[in-house]
Amino acid sequence: MTPNQRSGALALVAVIALLASGCGSSGRLSAKALTQKSTSLESLAAEVALLARHAGTGKTTRIFTRVHSGYLYEAASKEASSLRTAKTEPALEPKLRHVTSLAGKVSVDLRRVGHASKAEQPRLARQLEAAAKELK
């Protein structure tokens, strides 16, 4: 396993742990929980942007890119699904809608990364970087 693959695997474990910490909670999302979900999505978007950049420059194999992005897609799509059904206090509704919208965009772009050509990867990386910045 190369250093890039090892760091990617460690980041994946961290992201899954963050996402899992938000699972199983019932009721309304608090401001803290919504911020945690946003931070988890930001991390996912940033990691996939890096993966797309590496894929675009040939620093990762197509198989690694496809498999790794598949794991990340599963995590992002679960988070997006959870956000779509989440409830929060009225004052946080605009933030919830915004984070939910970005989660959907991240999921869609993430799914594309695994099968995109080298030429498409830089565009996807830019889109994911922009989403990560918006989630900050």
Side-chain angles (χ1 to χ4, degrees), residues 85-104:
T85 60
K87 303 287 183 217
T88 191
E89 60 191 68
L92 295 174
E93 282 295 329
K95 182 176 181 179
L96 175 60
R97 282 192 303 274
H98 184 67
V99 172
T100 302
S101 173
L102 287 170

Side-chain angles (χ1 to χ4, degrees), residues 39-51:
T39 300
S40 295
L41 285 165
E42 175 193 352
S43 179
L44 275 169
E47 182 175 353
V48 178
L50 181 63
L51 179 64

